[in-house]
């Protein structure tokens, strides 16, 4: 089969190679071989190429952590490939205990972009932060893959959503997603803008996949008894929380490692998928697929996601 492989660590565009004769993976216990129909590009794909992700598969490996595939029976499913097989290939392995039916309301590209981003946003907002209707939700990187999911789910929960983005193009995308307030951090101070938008009260819940200055600024505009959910560090900087500040202002800092639920509480993951499927049927959830690239352009797609210039999800078609 054809598959993209990483034989040495480095920038995706430099180390990802399209190989024409890679052996098809062989399914083991609790595994099934699926024909890949579409693969969504995620930031961890780039980090794996660089050797900077917590999961470090042995070289060479096929990247791609999320896909929509077809079972031998013809049924469409979504899930995360078994480590090492990767979604950027014609075939991949899925764990039969952790595959999910692709929602009928979504096409292949949209379905491929549903699992990681929307599960992450769901657990962050509902399981960790207990977001309530009427509260104010601040979403950093609101036009990105996981940020756009948080915006849609925040609106579905009845929250008022403030989206922070970097640049006018991303601001336009955030408005189309339904943000009540959009702040371009490159044009204005987001801390002051959040305070102004909330009458000085601040945001009840902060969804932060960025870290660095985004986190630090969030501590200055989080509301009394607010909750900051730390989802990732796309900025490349892991902040050091000032716990004295959290004590004085009475806010909480919550961590979210969504992947851990797959082993600690898989029933919760399946329940979240059921809820997300219902929202797709209602038209509330519709993954933002900004680009649909051919298989041959996978390395370029991963590189551009790593550089932070894309919006929504970039999806590789097969």
């Amino acid at each position: 089969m054809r598959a993209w492989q990483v034989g040495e660590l480095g920038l995706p565009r430099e180390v990802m190679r399209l190989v024409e004769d890679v052996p098809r993976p062989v399914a083991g216990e609790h595994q099934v071989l699926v024909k890949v129909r579409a693969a969504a590009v995620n930031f961890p794909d780039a980090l794996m190429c660089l050797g900077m992700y917590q999961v470090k598969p042995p070289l060479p490996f096929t990247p791609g952590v999320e896909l929509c595939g077809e079972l031998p029976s013809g049924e469409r499913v979504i899930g995360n490939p078994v480590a090492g097989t990767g979604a950027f290939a014609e075939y991949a392995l899925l764990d039969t205990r952790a595959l999910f039916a692709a929602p009928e309301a979504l096409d292949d590209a949209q379905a491929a972009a549903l699992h990681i981003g929307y599960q992450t946003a769901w657990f962050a907002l509902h399981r960790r932060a207990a977001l309530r209707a009427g509260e104010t939700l601040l979403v950093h990187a609101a036009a990105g893959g996981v940020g756009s999911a948080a915006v849609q789910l925040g609106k579905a929960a009845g929250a008022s959503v403030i989206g922070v983005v970097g640049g006018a193009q991303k601001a336009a995308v955030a408005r189309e997603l339904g943000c009540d307030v959009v702040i371009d951090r490159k044009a204005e101070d987001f801390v002051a803008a959040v305070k102004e938008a909330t009458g000085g009260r601040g945001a009840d819940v902060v969804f932060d996949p960025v870290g660095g200055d985004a986190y630090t600024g969030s501590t200055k505009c989080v509301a009394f008894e607010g909750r900051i959910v730390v989802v990732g560090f796309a900025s490349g900087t892991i902040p050091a929380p000032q716990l004295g500040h959290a004590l004085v202002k009475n806010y909480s800092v919550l961590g979210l490692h969504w992947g851990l639920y797959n082993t600690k509480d898989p029933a919760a993951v399946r329940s979240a998928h059921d809820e997300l499927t219902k929202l797709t049927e209602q038209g509330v959830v519709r993954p933002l697929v900004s680009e649909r690239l051919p298989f041959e352009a996978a390395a370029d797609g991963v590189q551009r996601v790593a550089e932070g210039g894309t919006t929504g999800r970039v999806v590789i078609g097969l």
Side-chain angles (χ1 to χ4, degrees):
M1 68 173 185
R2 294 195 304 161
W4 284 90
Q5 291 208 312
V6 175
E8 59 180 332
L9 300 178
L11 295 174
R13 191 178 285 130
E14 297 176 359
V15 300
M16 286 180 61
R17 297 285 181 267
L18 181 55
V19 182
E20 298 289 337
D21 56 353
V22 177
R24 287 188 189 180
V26 177
E29 186 179 9
H30 302 302
Q31 296 176 350
V32 62
L33 184 70
V34 300
K35 179 177 175 58
V36 180
R37 297 175 65 128
V41 179
N42 287 266
F43 195 66
D45 296 323
L47 294 180
M48 283 189 188
C49 290
L50 291 164
M52 297 172 60
Y53 196 56
Q54 54 260 40
V55 177
K56 295 178 172 59
L59 300 171
F61 67 89
T62 295
V65 296
E66 182 175 33
L67 63 79
C68 173
E70 182 179 322
L71 294 174
S73 63
E75 178 186 0
R76 290 193 314 150
V77 293
I78 62 174
N80 310 124
V82 174
T85 62
F88 302 143
E90 291 180 322
Y91 292 87
L93 294 177
L94 292 182
D95 189 320
T96 55
R97 298 162 296 183
L99 56 79
F100 305 84
E104 293 182 3
L106 305 181
D107 64 23
D108 291 344
Q110 293 168 331
L114 178 73
H115 194 51
I116 294 176
Y118 282 84
Q119 285 271 346
T120 297
W122 180 272
F123 274 84
L125 300 184
H126 294 290
R127 179 82 173 231
R128 302 297 285 140
L131 179 68
R132 297 183 291 270
E135 289 191 312
T136 298
L137 168 65
L138 171 61
V139 178
H140 288 286
V146 70
S148 61
V151 170
Q152 291 184 4
L153 293 181
K155 293 297 296 182
S160 175
V161 180
I162 300 174
V164 177
V165 299
Q169 179 186 1
K170 293 183 178 181
V173 171
R175 291 189 188 94
E176 292 177 4
L177 284 167
C179 287
D180 298 282
V181 177
V182 177
I183 301 168
D184 181 356
R185 59 178 173 77
K186 293 185 177 180
E188 57 183 322
D189 176 13
F190 85 81
V191 174
V194 169
K195 290 181 178 179
E196 180 180 359
T198 59
R201 184 175 182 279
D204 298 292
V205 174
V206 178
F207 181 87
D208 180 19
V210 178
D213 292 339
Y215 172 83
T216 302
S218 296
T219 65
K220 300 175 182 178
C221 60
V222 64
F224 171 74
E225 291 195 327
R227 292 86 78 198
I228 300 174
V229 188
V230 178
V231 180
F233 311 104
S235 68
T237 301
I238 300 177
Q242 298 297 317
L243 298 185
H245 191 258
L247 183 152
V248 171
K249 287 194 67 176
N250 222 61
Y251 63 84
S252 303
V253 180
L254 305 166
L256 174 70
H257 175 196
W258 170 73
L260 202 56
Y261 286 97
N262 288 296
T263 54
K264 296 291 186 180
D265 194 352
V269 176
R270 193 160 295 280
S271 176
H273 177 73
D274 292 341
E275 293 299 321
L276 291 170
T277 297
K278 292 176 185 177
L279 291 174
T280 65
E281 293 170 349
Q282 297 166 9
V284 175
V285 160
R286 191 71 70 217
L288 173 61
V289 178
S290 59
E291 297 182 66
R292 300 169 185 243
L293 301 179
F295 186 62
E296 293 74 16
D300 185 64
V302 176
Q303 180 70 38
R304 289 194 294 108
V305 168
E307 293 168 352
T310 60
T311 58
R313 283 281 187 232
V314 174
V315 178
I316 309 302
L318 283 92

